[in-house]
Amino acid sequence: STVTANIRGVEFQQGVWRYHPLTREFELFCEGGGNSWGLDFDRTGRLFYSTNYGGFTMLHGVQGGYFVKSFGKHGALHNPHAYGYFDHVPHANFRGGHVTVGGIVYQEDLFPEVFRNQYVAGDLLGHGVYWHHIQPRGSTVQTAHAGELLVSHDSWFAPTDVTTGPDGAIYVTDWNDARTAHPDPDADWDRSNGRIFRLAPKGAKMPATIDFAKLSHEALNRVRQHSSQWYVRRARQELVRRLRQLDPSFKSAEALAQQQTLFKDATNSKDEIVALEALWTLHSIGGFDEERAQQLLSSPHVSVRMWTVRFLGDSKWLSPELAHRLDEFAETEPDVSVRQQLACSAARFPANQAMPIINANINRDIDGNDPYLPLLWWWAVEKHSLEGREEVLKRFLRPTVWTSQLGRDVLLTRLIRRYAAERTVEGLNSVVSLLNAAPDDASRRGLWSHVLLGWQEQPRDSTFAGWTTQVSQHELAKLLLQDWQLARDDLQLTQLAVNLRLPEPIAAATTEAFDTKSELSRRVALLHMLSGLAEPKLIDAVLVVLESEQDLAVRSAALQVLARFEDVRITQQLIACHQSSTPESLKSQVRDVLLGRASSAKAWLTAIDRNEIEASSTSLEQVRRVALLGDSQLDALVTKHFGKLQSSSREEKLAEVRRLNNDLRAGEGDARSGRELFTKHCAACHQLFGEGMKIGPDLTSANRQDRDFLLVSLVDPSSVIRKEFVSVVIQTTGGRVLTGLAIDRNDASITIADAKGEKQVVLNSEIDELRDSEVSMMPDNLYLQLKPQELRDLFAYLQTKK
């Protein structure tokens, strides 16, 4: 959006302008709009940034952290062994739309004291700017809605960024357009009317302009202690710029004198913020070293100790004397935020310096319930787990690790999984060592589930069969078989033993899976285990189960075993099963299996072509899967019996939107009737006011007041898919094609759900290709089921405010 404005002599145009969060200088940052910008630091240097996830206003960023992302669209975390991530900051009493933008921590003087150090952010879809309380939550924070700073009844008002100026006022950029969501088919963006608003108490005056370049060093230091962050940051930048210009190495007499002054402030000031600002500036002009760090670690101020640890970590190495000092420091540090930074910095030191710090906190075992620290300590361990293997194992083979909740339940379990996923003999040896260090047999058996998770992470490439044989002859397999024989009912032990292809557990699992006298849930679980073997000898027994009158859950699990094979006989049996008196829920799964491979899809569509099967028995959602197979003959059969499945043209969709708009204008809708229609047609995927499912976006915080947006979403759902609701297409190593919404993704597997809500777990190791689908899970023709009055009723309910 083009912003045209003039603030204090600065001409704004050709893009959205904003203050840089650190320099507080205006800069051109974006061509276009609708993105959730916003990044700021509080007075102790904690990083907060905005989000476009409904129900939340921000995230708290920490050094070296892994954070929630749109897993369906962007894939798993970059580190497959993170084994966890930080979610959004919990928020109470969420208001407005799902896009929170431009968040800042207000640290100026102009507004009343109640606003100071609170979070201010725009609500793009709710047409307002809100402020929120920032409250402590262990080593991190939580937020709560505090009030509306600015609310507009103009639906064109769409705040895209928030910042402060030297006057302490809050500035808000306004996109100012009829559309505050994705464009409709005939979008004509108006780039002439973006604007900037200044929010200030009545009568507030602009302060006199300060030319920072003309201030003396002493004057800059006084400004650096100003109560307004705008001035503090400018003063620090000017001092650093000036001293760097004199000597880039900061060895000039002026720089050395300033270092002495700043160090004195950092160590002696009774004001924590003054001391912290002095430390930041000291570091910026090259005055931070180990000698000074030794003294700063004894500071009475929490934030000074925290940033001293941070700067030491940034150096990546410590002298032996300081490493010993930091080890002792870790054993006694009382504040959780400093211990958080110790965990972050431990990931940056060499293993021999980091592990004593980590071990000190394992022994202290006081942060097991903190929202951030357990994972931060794991990420520090994981960083050193391979290159520093000897140092890591030295600590985790000690009996004391079993007396610590952090060591036993968080770090040890993940470390075993990490080594099990390594796919090296050295990794297997490490796992065996850790298992044998367990205090008793029961404790050791409790660790096998984590070995299984690590095993499932390994890719099933062309060499995997040979690797499995190698592992089955390793000491690990002998130890597993020994424990399995003592606990045959343990499904996780059985799962791992089957995965390692140990003959005795496989034989036992097979016998029990096909025994009708066995417990139902165990039979289902065992059949799922056996499906991973893709063993042809199972086919006959599985076909018998499928054709029987056994429980549907067992037959469904048997069907998943058959899905692993490409066999003409299986295809024929599945088609026969579909044409029998099989329940519809199982028939739907049969169709999913048949249409997942080119060969069986061809047999199914050929049967339709011969009039042996009614075309109407196959839903359009299932037929669409055929297009993913990329077979021209199959595409021709689909077109012949189901018509053109490609999206309508832009003009056709536009005509439908206009036609439906006319229907909506023709009369009033009844929200009560609309609620019933929502339950019938929409609630299987969408939630509104707490009712319905969350396979698709929660409509409660959506842009429901924009009728054009709703109509486009209805007529052309694939044009408005929010990134977190993009479905995925999976090509498995076995040749199947699966599609659905990625509702969960971790380092071992991805869970997808189809439009019927049916879930399927696919191991990452079985995925040959994973890509985003260009088609929404929502059918294009849903609106055709609604009469004009029903459409009005539905929209009346969708646009009601409560």
Side-chain angles (χ1 to χ4, degrees):
S1 305
T2 298
V3 175
T4 302
N6 186 299
I7 292 183
R8 305 195 70 188
V10 180
E11 183 76 20
F12 295 175
Q13 56 188 356
Q14 301 303 316
V16 173
W17 289 78
R18 67 170 293 184
Y19 273 115
H20 187 283
L22 295 179
T23 66
R24 293 304 202 202
E25 294 179 348
F26 277 111
E27 62 179 357
L28 186 66
F29 80 99
C30 178
E31 184 75 25
N35 296 307
S36 49
W37 305 104
L39 177 154
D40 201 4
F41 299 87
D42 72 357
R43 290 297 287 116
T44 61
R46 292 183 299 185
L47 168 64
F48 302 123
Y49 56 99
S50 304
T51 179
N52 63 352
Y53 274 59
F56 304 98
T57 60
M58 69 177 186
L59 293 99
H60 173 200
V62 296
Q63 188 180 40
Y66 296 92
F67 299 89
V68 63
K69 58 192 287 192
S70 181
F71 298 108
K73 184 171 181 63
H74 299 298
L77 298 171
H78 293 298
N79 179 359
H81 311 296
Y83 302 154
Y85 57 84
F86 296 149
D87 210 326
H88 292 80
V89 168
H91 182 76
N93 303 319
F94 183 82
R95 308 283 180 86
H98 70 266
V99 182
T100 298
V101 292
I104 61 168
V105 181
Y106 187 78
Q107 301 170 70
E108 315 302 332
D109 292 332
L110 189 62
F111 277 48
E113 183 64 23
V114 69
F115 287 93
R116 193 167 184 85
N117 298 318
Q118 305 304 319
Y119 188 63
V120 180
D123 175 10
L124 188 143
L125 298 179
H127 316 296
V129 178
Y130 305 151
W131 65 289
H132 313 280
H133 292 303
I134 301 176
Q135 303 162 334
R137 177 174 164 256
S139 66
T140 179
V141 297
Q142 59 191 17
T143 55
H145 181 84
E148 289 77 27
L149 187 62
L150 182 156
V151 175
S152 173
H153 298 292
D154 179 3
S155 63
W156 283 37
F157 176 74
T160 55
D161 198 26
V162 179
T163 192
T164 56
D167 56 346
I170 289 179
Y171 292 86
V172 180
T173 57
D174 173 19
W175 184 351
N176 202 256
D177 201 287
R179 303 162 199 70
T180 51
H182 302 271
D184 62 31
D186 61 340
D188 182 16
W189 295 99
D190 186 342
R191 298 178 180 272
S192 66
N193 59 355
R195 57 191 70 183
I196 295 176
F197 290 98
R198 172 177 179 262
L199 308 181
K202 188 175 182 179
K205 297 180 180 179
M206 299 293 286
T209 300
I210 295 179
D211 188 343
F212 286 84
K214 294 181 179 180
L215 296 181
S216 66
H217 290 169
E218 292 71 21
L220 286 173
N221 274 323
R222 287 194 298 272
V223 175
R224 189 178 45 75
Q225 299 181 29
H226 198 286
S227 57
S228 167
Q229 265 292 291
W230 193 92
Y231 291 95
V232 172
R233 296 178 184 185
R234 278 294 179 88
R236 184 192 310 124
Q237 288 176 325
E238 172 58 24
L239 182 62
V240 173
R241 182 198 66 79
R242 192 179 299 178
L243 295 175
R244 180 182 288 115
Q245 195 171 45
L246 289 173
D247 179 4
S249 64
F250 297 109
K251 299 299 183 183
S252 65
E254 291 90 340
L256 295 175
Q258 284 299 311
Q259 290 172 10
Q260 288 291 346
T261 299
L262 290 166
F263 180 64
K264 182 178 179 180
D265 285 348
T267 52
N268 297 335
S269 177
K270 295 182 180 180
D271 186 314
E272 180 174 18
I273 300 306
V274 171
L276 179 60
E277 289 287 350
L279 173 58
W280 284 342
T281 311
L282 175 69
H283 181 269
S284 298
I285 63 171
F288 181 87
D289 57 28
E290 286 201 351
E291 181 180 352
R292 286 172 170 158
Q294 288 271 17
Q295 296 183 56
L296 290 166
L297 285 173
S298 299
S299 171
H301 303 308
V302 169
S303 61
V304 171
R305 299 198 304 273
M306 179 179 72
W307 276 92
T308 300
V309 174
R310 165 69 185 255
F311 291 145
L312 288 173
D314 291 347
S315 70
K316 306 290 182 69
W317 182 85
L318 302 169
S319 67
E321 295 77 17
L322 189 54
H324 180 68
R325 170 77 171 90
L326 208 57
D327 182 16
E328 293 179 333
F329 178 83
E331 293 174 351
T332 58
E333 171 54 47
D335 191 87
V336 69
S337 59
V338 183
R339 295 197 296 273
Q340 180 194 87
Q341 185 57 54
L342 276 168
C344 297
S345 294
R348 302 164 75 79
F349 297 132
N352 67 324
Q353 295 181 341
M355 288 311 301
I357 297 172
I358 296 170
N359 191 64
N361 281 272
I362 292 175
N363 293 337
R364 295 182 73 184
D365 199 25
I366 56 177
D367 296 314
N369 295 321
D370 185 82
Y372 272 17
L373 271 165
L375 274 177
L376 285 172
W377 286 119
W378 160 244
W379 293 331
V381 171
E382 196 277 330
K383 182 77 172 181
H384 304 298
S385 60
L386 301 188
E387 292 184 2
R389 189 188 305 265
E390 183 178 350
E391 289 287 341
V392 171
L393 287 175
K394 186 190 303 181
R395 273 74 185 185
F396 283 91
L397 293 177
R398 294 173 179 173
T400 52
V401 78
W402 283 89
T403 62
S404 164
Q405 178 190 0
L406 174 66
R408 180 187 65 246
D409 299 338
V410 177
L411 304 181
L412 176 61
T413 54
R414 286 174 169 81
L415 184 62
I416 286 175
R417 178 178 175 182
R418 174 67 182 90
Y419 286 142
E422 188 181 345
R423 196 167 170 176
T424 66
V425 173
E426 192 174 15
L428 296 179
N429 293 339
S430 299
V431 172
V432 171
S433 296
L434 292 168
L435 291 172
N436 282 329
D440 51 61
D441 290 346
S443 298
R444 184 179 64 247
R445 286 199 296 271
L447 297 174
W448 283 109
S449 61
H450 306 283
V451 181
L452 173 61
L453 288 172
W455 178 262
Q456 290 174 333
E457 290 180 48
Q458 298 186 17
R460 269 49 170 175
D461 56 20
S462 59
T463 64
F464 185 72
W467 170 244
T468 301
T469 301
Q470 187 176 355
V471 176
S472 67
Q473 298 169 358
H474 189 271
E475 183 65 27
L476 178 72
K478 298 175 184 177
L479 188 60
L480 172 62
L481 186 59
Q482 171 188 318
D483 280 353
W484 176 81
Q485 289 170 338
L486 296 173
R488 289 171 174 256
D489 289 339
D490 189 316
L491 285 173
Q492 290 180 321
L493 280 173
T494 303
Q495 172 78 76
L496 182 57
V498 168
N499 285 357
L500 295 185
R501 295 184 175 270
L502 303 184
E504 186 180 350
I506 289 176
T510 303
T511 299
E512 189 174 2
F514 293 102
D515 185 354
T516 56
K517 297 179 182 178
S518 298
E519 182 186 352
L520 177 63
S521 61
R522 284 186 61 83
R523 293 189 65 198
V524 171
L526 291 168
L527 282 168
H528 282 300
M529 290 180 199
L530 295 173
S531 69
L533 293 177
E535 177 55 63
K537 291 186 293 185
L538 294 174
I539 292 177
D540 289 335
V542 171
L543 285 173
V544 170
V545 172
L546 185 65
E547 295 167 1
S548 70
E549 296 297 322
Q550 296 183 38
D551 189 275
L552 277 178
V554 174
R555 295 162 71 187
S556 177
L559 184 59
Q560 295 309 311
V561 177
L562 294 176
R564 302 280 177 165
F565 301 97
E566 186 168 12
D567 187 298
V568 174
R569 182 165 59 102
I570 293 175
T571 300
Q572 293 171 346
Q573 290 289 93
L574 290 182
I575 293 176
C577 175
H578 185 280
Q579 297 306 92
S580 67
S581 57
T582 302
E584 178 54 36
S585 61
L586 192 62
K587 286 184 177 182
S588 178
Q589 294 177 51
V590 167
R591 294 193 297 270
D592 285 340
V593 171
L594 288 170
L595 295 174
R597 294 181 187 275
S599 58
S600 53
K602 183 176 181 180
W604 178 258
L605 292 172
T606 300
I608 291 176
D609 194 48
R610 294 172 179 168
N611 294 319
E612 296 169 359
I613 298 174
E614 291 287 339
S616 59
S617 66
T618 309
S619 69
L620 292 179
E621 285 67 41
Q622 290 178 312
V623 172
R624 280 198 183 97
R625 189 175 302 173
V626 176
L628 303 174
L629 299 171
D631 188 305
S632 58
Q633 290 184 344
L634 296 180
D635 292 341
L637 286 171
V638 167
T639 302
K640 178 179 179 181
H641 294 282
F642 298 91
K644 188 180 75 169
L645 297 184
Q646 291 84 2
S647 298
S648 303
S649 68
R650 176 177 181 272
E651 290 74 17
E652 290 171 328
K653 292 182 184 298
L654 177 57
E656 283 295 270
V657 169
R658 289 172 174 164
R659 179 179 69 80
L660 295 178
N661 234 327
N662 291 334
D663 286 344
L664 290 174
R665 294 192 190 102
E668 297 293 326
D670 176 52
R672 292 181 182 274
S673 299
R675 181 176 180 176
E676 296 176 2
L677 290 165
F678 174 84
T679 301
K680 178 181 179 181
H681 295 287
C682 313
C685 291
H686 296 284
Q687 192 171 94
L688 181 58
F689 305 130
E691 297 179 352
M693 304 295 290
K694 284 190 175 182
I695 294 176
D698 186 337
L699 300 181
T700 312
S701 58
N703 190 28
R704 294 180 291 114
Q705 302 309 311
D706 186 337
R707 188 168 68 185
D708 289 338
F709 169 73
L710 289 179
L711 280 174
V712 172
S713 301
L714 195 61
V715 172
D716 189 12
S718 296
S719 72
V720 290
I721 311 174
R722 273 176 37 197
K723 61 184 180 183
E724 62 264 41
F725 295 104
V726 174
S727 57
V728 297
V729 179
I730 298 174
Q731 180 80 41
T732 71
T733 54
R736 292 184 295 156
V737 174
L738 310 171
T739 184
L741 179 69
I743 59 174
D744 184 45
R745 187 163 191 182
N746 55 44
D747 312 286
S749 64
I750 181 171
T751 302
I752 60 175
D754 61 19
K756 296 170 287 189
E758 295 177 354
K759 300 176 183 178
Q760 187 165 357
V761 179
V762 185
L763 295 179
N764 290 343
S765 55
E766 296 178 344
I767 297 175
D768 184 51
E769 180 185 358
L770 185 149
R771 65 182 186 275
D772 291 340
S773 172
E774 298 179 357
V775 180
S776 170
M777 290 177 62
M778 179 175 168
D780 287 351
N781 60 349
L782 180 62
Y783 68 94
L784 296 176
Q785 303 175 37
L786 302 175
K787 299 175 182 177
Q789 184 57 51
E790 290 178 327
L791 183 70
R792 289 190 285 270
D793 294 344
L794 178 60
F795 268 61
Y797 180 59
L798 290 176
Q799 296 191 291
T800 190
K801 294 187 177 180
K802 61 179 180 179

